[in-house]
């Protein structure tokens, strides 16, 4: 799209989100070749009209040079002449406010933290809030010679407090594993030997963490979306968490929050952004305020990292396997684009991406390495760190340990890998202790 037209859309984002009727215009944009069916499906998956209008504009900004004039034509064909004239003139004046539309979502209560200039004076009074009382340790009786001092170690809180997510349901939640191994010869993607080893490790690990594990193998593009949609439609009310693990080839993709895309065995790639959208608080109400965790073992792009020299005291180098392979192909694009000019649509809710963490096996843009005999570096170390530390450490701390371990491995004595995560969790997350 011409940058001038994109700026007009961005300047008038508020007017479009407020007044546009997406239902009337989608068919025209599809028939005229501006949108694909996948884009229409993505728009229609949104719950409210405002969200559908916003997604339509986001998708429109990613299209070609004819997208803007065709959009104006479709507006006029559907009787939305005021919007068409507004965009035609490039004027940023706002339209008269339309009749309010009652949102279909039930707002979530949000507590606004109170701040004070003096940190040593808490912002509450004893009459309104009961102060926290620390647990007392047993005190030995000096008059009793038989008494012995017992050391009581504080237990990790399992309740849903300001510090930690509630994680004591049984089972704790559903863990979906998508394991793509055998790819169609026509899509020029190699089979992912060693991925079954990763799948077995993750299945056993999350069963030990008290998750109900569902493993799917060799899913095509549409099947990946179907499985995610089915997971979103399930009732998660009795669970405390949801986990999705994807083992596949990957590539770069345009995005506005979570980078990358993962390939179905037939070739087309599903953006990670779209995968996470299925389970956000808007599209899956029964997972609202509960942690949604995504672990992605796939390449973030095609660039190889050769690292840089450091002091020998700073790292403990480790060599990769004898048959390391990559999970990468060149860049692709998705329907999500970065836009910074959207005006706020205020409601008393939590942000849509809240309570989501996406952990990537590699930094965006770079390849991810997998040993055909031992599995991927990332999954191998993730499994080990969870086994050794899940009973004591929170997830964020454990992922840093995974990052450190993987960063010290070298493929073919030359190439490096750096995992990372996009963390939108609001509290600490402790898994249930592993069960033998």
């Amino acid at each position: 799209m011409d940058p001038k037209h994109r700026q007009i859309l961005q300047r008038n984002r508020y007017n479009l989100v407020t007044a546009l009727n997406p239902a009337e215009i989608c068919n025209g944009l599809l028939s005229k070749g501006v949108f694909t069916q996948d884009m229409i499906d993505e728009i229609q998956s949104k719950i409210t009209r405002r969200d559908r209008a916003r997604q339509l504009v986001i998708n429109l900004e990613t299209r070609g040079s004819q997208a803007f004039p065709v959009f104006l034509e479709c507006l006029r064909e559907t009787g939305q002449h005021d919007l068409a004239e507004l965009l035609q003139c490039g004027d940023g004046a706002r339209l008269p406010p339309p009749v309010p539309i009652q949102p279909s979502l039930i707002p979530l209560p949000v507590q606004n933290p109170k701040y004070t200039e003096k940190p040593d004076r808490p912002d509450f009074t004893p009459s309104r809030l009961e102060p926290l009382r620390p647990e007392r340790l047993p005190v030995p009786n000096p008059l009793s010679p038989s008494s012995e001092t017992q050391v009581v170690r504080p237990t990790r809180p399992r309740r849903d407090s300001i510090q930690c997510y509630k994680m004591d349901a049984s089972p704790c939640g559903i863990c979906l594993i998508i394991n793509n191994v055998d790819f169609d010869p026509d899509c020029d993607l190699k089979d992912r030997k060693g991925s079954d080893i990763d799948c077995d490790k993750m299945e056993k690990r999350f069963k030990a963490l008290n998750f109900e594990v569902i493993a799917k193998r060799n899913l095509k593009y549409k099947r990946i979306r179907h499985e995610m949609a089915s997971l979103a439609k399930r009732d998660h009310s009795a669970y405390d968490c949801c986990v999705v693990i994807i083992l596949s080839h990957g590539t770069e993709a345009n995005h506005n929050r979570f980078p990358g895309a993962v390939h179905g065995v037939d070739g087309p790639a599903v953006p990670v952004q779209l995968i996470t959208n299925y389970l956000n608080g808007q599209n899956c109400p029964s997972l609202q305020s509960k942690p949604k965790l995504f672990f992605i073992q796939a390449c973030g792009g095609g660039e190889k990292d050769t690292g840089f020299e450091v002091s020998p005291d700073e790292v403990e180098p480790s060599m990769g396997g004898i048959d390391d392979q990559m999970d990468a192909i060149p860049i692709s694009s998705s329907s999500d684009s970065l836009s910074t000019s959207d005006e706020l649509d205020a409601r008393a809710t939590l942000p849509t991406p809240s309570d989501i963490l996406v952990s990537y096996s590699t930094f965006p843009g770079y390849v991810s390495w997998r040993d055909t005999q031992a599995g991927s570096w990332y999954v191998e170390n993730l499994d080990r760190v969870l086994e050794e530390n899940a009973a004591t450490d929170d997830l964020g701390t454990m992922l840093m340990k995974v990052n450190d371990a993987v960063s010290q491995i070298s493929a073919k004595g030359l190439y490096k890998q750096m995992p990372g995560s996009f963390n939108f969790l609001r509290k600490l997350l402790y898994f249930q202790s592993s069960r033998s």
Side-chain angles (χ1 to χ4, degrees):
M1 176 175 289
D2 190 310
K4 176 182 66 176
H5 293 154
R6 184 177 292 110
Q7 290 175 4
I8 292 175
L9 291 175
Q10 292 173 353
R11 282 201 306 268
N12 292 278
R13 178 70 67 85
Y14 178 87
N15 292 323
L16 290 167
V17 170
T18 301
L20 179 65
N21 189 336
E24 296 181 352
I25 201 171
C26 279
N27 289 337
L29 293 173
L30 178 62
S31 63
K32 297 179 190 302
V34 174
F35 281 176
T36 65
Q37 185 59 53
D38 286 339
M39 290 179 174
I40 299 297
D41 292 343
E42 184 177 14
I43 293 169
Q44 294 176 345
S45 69
K46 305 301 180 183
I47 296 178
T48 67
R49 183 205 57 80
R50 295 177 74 96
D51 291 332
R52 290 192 290 271
R54 184 184 296 104
Q55 188 63 51
L56 187 148
V57 177
I58 290 173
N59 289 354
L60 188 65
E61 292 176 7
T62 69
R63 310 311 289 165
S65 59
Q66 295 302 310
F68 187 80
V70 172
F71 180 55
L72 295 182
E73 180 183 348
C74 291
L75 285 174
R76 294 189 178 96
E77 290 177 352
T78 56
Q80 303 182 62
H81 298 285
D82 289 341
L83 280 177
E85 293 304 320
L86 184 69
L87 298 177
Q88 183 73 53
C89 299
D91 186 6
R94 294 189 176 183
L95 295 173
V99 178
I101 297 176
Q102 184 69 22
S104 59
L105 291 177
I106 300 175
L108 294 175
V110 176
Q111 294 181 349
N112 296 320
K114 298 181 180 180
Y115 297 93
T116 177
E117 295 180 356
K118 296 182 179 180
D120 58 336
R121 298 184 63 183
D123 192 18
F124 60 83
T125 61
S127 61
R128 287 186 294 159
L129 183 62
E130 184 71 18
L132 295 175
R133 293 190 176 94
E135 295 182 2
R136 295 183 179 180
L137 296 177
V139 179
N141 184 357
L143 301 179
S144 175
S146 61
S147 64
E148 296 181 359
T149 302
Q150 296 180 354
V151 179
V152 178
R153 297 181 180 178
T155 58
R156 190 171 66 220
R158 289 297 186 187
R159 63 190 181 280
D160 190 8
S161 66
I162 192 63
Q163 299 89 6
C164 309
Y165 284 106
K166 177 182 179 296
M167 290 286 286
D168 55 8
S170 185
C172 188
I174 297 173
C175 172
L176 172 64
I177 303 177
I178 296 176
N179 178 30
N180 284 350
V181 182
D182 305 312
F183 287 76
D184 293 350
D186 296 337
C187 67
D188 296 327
L189 291 170
K190 294 182 179 179
D191 292 346
R192 300 182 62 258
K193 297 179 180 178
S195 186
D196 286 331
I197 299 174
D198 286 347
C199 184
D200 290 342
K201 288 179 179 177
M202 290 292 93
E203 186 171 356
K204 293 176 182 177
R205 181 58 47 215
F206 278 89
K207 282 182 177 179
L209 296 174
N210 199 16
F211 280 81
E212 176 186 335
V213 178
I214 303 171
K216 300 290 183 178
R217 196 174 190 270
N218 292 338
L219 299 189
K220 295 182 179 180
Y221 168 85
K222 290 185 177 180
R223 192 66 188 178
I224 293 176
R225 297 189 59 171
H226 172 78
E227 291 295 335
M228 290 305 306
S230 298
L231 184 61
K233 291 177 182 178
R234 292 187 61 155
D235 184 5
H236 299 264
S237 302
Y239 303 133
D240 288 334
C241 181
C242 187
V243 176
V244 175
I245 302 172
I246 300 182
L247 315 169
S248 186
H249 283 297
T251 184
E252 290 186 84
N254 295 329
H255 63 95
N256 66 357
R257 192 170 294 123
F258 300 109
V262 292
H263 288 275
V265 294
D266 54 343
V270 184
V272 174
Q273 171 78 56
L274 182 57
I275 291 172
T276 61
N277 281 349
Y278 282 102
L279 300 185
N280 66 28
Q282 179 176 327
N283 295 326
C284 187
S286 62
L287 281 175
Q288 286 179 354
S289 302
K290 299 178 182 181
K292 281 80 66 176
L293 312 178
F294 299 82
F295 298 91
I296 312 295
Q297 166 54 44
C299 277
E303 194 168 347
K304 297 178 182 178
D305 185 4
T306 56
F308 59 92
E309 292 188 7
V310 296
S311 168
D313 296 333
E314 295 186 28
V315 296
E316 298 178 3
S318 174
M319 294 295 292
I322 59 175
D323 191 13
D324 290 315
Q325 296 183 353
M326 301 176 294
D327 284 331
I329 71 163
I331 186 171
S332 69
S333 63
S334 76
S335 58
D336 279 315
S337 66
L338 181 64
S339 178
T340 59
S341 61
D342 198 4
E343 298 194 26
L344 296 177
D345 300 318
R347 291 200 300 264
T349 61
L350 289 172
T352 300
S354 64
D355 308 299
I356 289 178
L357 180 142
V358 181
S359 175
Y360 293 89
S361 62
T362 188
F363 193 79
Y366 287 85
V367 300
S368 181
W369 293 93
R370 167 178 37 82
D371 188 304
T372 61
Q373 300 177 6
S376 65
W377 301 355
Y378 169 73
V379 171
E380 181 180 17
N381 282 278
L382 176 62
D383 177 57
R384 177 185 57 80
V385 169
L386 288 173
E387 179 182 18
E388 297 174 356
N389 302 276
T392 56
D393 291 346
D394 68 280
L395 178 59
T397 300
M398 289 190 286
L399 289 178
M400 282 192 288
K401 293 181 178 181
V402 173
N403 295 351
D404 180 58
V406 174
S407 70
Q408 297 179 29
I409 308 173
S410 296
K412 310 181 191 307
L414 176 63
Y415 299 117
K416 308 291 289 184
Q417 179 178 327
M418 186 66 216
S421 60
F422 285 68
N423 189 345
F424 290 85
L425 298 180
R426 297 177 294 113
K427 305 177 183 182
L428 297 177
L429 188 148
Y430 290 94
F431 288 112
Q432 296 181 21
S433 299
S434 298
R435 303 176 302 170
S436 56

